[in-house]
Amino acid sequence: TAASAKVNNGGAEWLDVRLPAEYDSAHIRGATHMPLIFLRMKVDELDQMKNYILYCDTERRSSSASYILSGKGFKTSVLLNGIKDAPPEDLEGNNV
């Protein structure tokens, strides 16, 4: 995908905003994990110079996270259709 290419060439970083159990089950290799419920508290741990590609299962949480981060000056985009559109070879976790 175009998103994978952007990450692979260093132009962006994956940000998984799902719950810990979902992340442990399957996530995109190399993704930063920050559940949406903790995003406002932990936003200082993210690098404002990076472009983050957010994902969840359905786009709903990642869209909310994108809204929050954009309001704080971050450059974000959302992976359409969530993790199910990620290439299987890019996934790792307990249920991959």
Side-chain angles (χ1 to χ4, degrees):
T1 66
S4 295
K6 207 176 208 180
V7 171
N8 291 339
N9 73 23
E13 189 173 304
W14 294 114
L15 184 62
D16 187 318
V17 297
R18 300 172 304 146
L19 295 171
E22 294 170 299
Y23 178 83
D24 291 343
S25 175
H27 60 269
I28 298 174
R29 192 174 291 105
T32 297
H33 181 228
M34 187 169 293
L36 176 61
I37 56 173
F38 299 126
L39 194 61
R40 281 189 172 90
M41 289 183 288
K42 295 185 161 209
V43 70
D44 294 341
E45 295 175 22
L46 298 176
D47 183 347
Q48 261 196 320
M49 296 295 109
K50 289 186 178 171
N51 182 2
Y52 289 99
I53 302 174
L54 286 58
Y55 72 92
C56 60
D57 289 329
T58 62
E59 280 178 62
R60 287 171 73 173
R61 286 176 283 179
S62 49
S63 294
S64 295
S66 179
Y67 178 80
I68 292 167
L69 291 174
S70 295
K72 296 187 179 295
F74 285 85
K75 288 191 217 77
T76 65
S77 47
V78 173
L79 183 62
L80 296 179
N81 299 316
I83 193 170
K84 58 187 166 294
D85 268 12
E89 64 272 14
D90 289 355
L91 298 178
E92 63 184 9
N94 302 330
N95 287 329
V96 175

